Amino acid sequence: MKALFRYFSSIFSAFKSLWTGMRLTFYYLSHPKTILTQQYPENRKTLYIPEAFKGEVVLIHDENNEHGCTACRMCEMTCPNGTIKITSITEETEDGKKKKILDEWIYNLGMCTFCAQCIEACPQNAIKMQNTFEHSVYDRKELIKKLNHPGSKLKSTKKI
């Protein structure tokens, strides 16, 4: 008897769910001004993209072409699928100390899952998620980006 009740109960809940969806569909058919779908290519100029949208990782540079990345590789270690590759070189300072300097910051956009774990792991807040979304290309090699600009250097942290 319980099995028969569960059987008819599941049929009833399926029809209830179907009716809920169809009611919403008929509402939007009868009220065309409330349609939420946007015609994308035509509305590029008026398209609203929320600030919290995760589009791609960028290395923040200032007007002097300086960045905050110290090549600690925390973002590379926390990336779940190896999207980030950081290479660094070691240079000696004037006082004889050895210091790591960022050589290349390679980001593979095609492998990125946009989880933002790299942004959370960065101790210097040198990277952020940008809200760009048009990334379609014909060649996968174009999705591999070098994020540090040519000639960029580490921001000086000396306080005067």
Side-chain angles (χ1 to χ4, degrees):
M1 189 67 172
K2 281 185 180 180
L4 189 64
F5 178 74
R6 280 194 309 239
Y7 174 73
F8 284 113
S9 173
S10 66
I11 289 175
F12 175 74
S13 68
F15 276 115
K16 183 180 172 189
S17 175
L18 178 67
W19 172 248
T20 303
M22 292 306 289
R23 191 177 64 201
L24 186 63
T25 301
F26 288 130
Y27 173 79
Y28 283 128
L29 278 174
S30 62
H31 298 87
K33 300 264 184 205
T34 59
I35 294 177
L36 301 175
T37 306
Q38 297 181 14
Q39 298 299 320
Y40 163 61
E42 292 84 21
N43 70 343
R44 277 191 181 148
K45 292 185 179 18
T46 61
L47 185 65
Y48 170 71
I49 302 168
E51 194 63 35
F53 177 76
K54 298 175 184 175
E56 70 175 307
V57 176
V58 292
L59 182 63
I60 304 168
H61 287 76
D62 63 4
E63 63 277 349
N64 299 327
N65 199 17
E66 295 178 339
H67 56 79
C69 182
T70 58
C72 68
R73 299 178 62 189
M74 288 297 292
C75 54
E76 183 179 3
M77 287 185 264
T78 58
C79 183
N81 56 349
T83 301
I84 300 169
K85 299 287 181 220
I86 294 178
T87 56
S88 60
I89 54 176
T90 306
E91 288 185 353
E92 270 194 48
T93 59
E94 296 87 27
D95 52 349
K97 295 181 181 178
K98 292 185 179 183
K99 184 178 180 181
K100 276 197 310 186
I101 296 176
L102 178 68
D103 187 33
E104 283 188 331
W105 210 105
I106 306 296
Y107 171 60
N108 189 341
L109 181 61
M111 289 176 48
C112 187
T113 58
F114 308 105
C115 64
Q117 288 181 7
C118 54
I119 282 65
E120 294 171 11
C122 183
Q124 288 81 25
N125 295 325
I127 55 178
K128 70 174 184 174
M129 292 297 272
Q130 194 174 34
N131 65 348
T132 56
F133 64 96
E134 294 178 321
H135 301 297
S136 57
V137 292
Y138 288 106
D139 189 11
R140 282 187 185 178
K141 293 176 186 168
E142 294 178 35
L143 294 175
I144 300 173
K145 301 180 178 189
K146 182 178 175 184
L147 296 187
N148 56 323
H149 299 163
S152 65
K153 344 177 222 189
L154 180 64
K155 288 181 185 176
S156 60
T157 57
K158 294 180 182 178
K159 300 197 179 189
I160 301 172

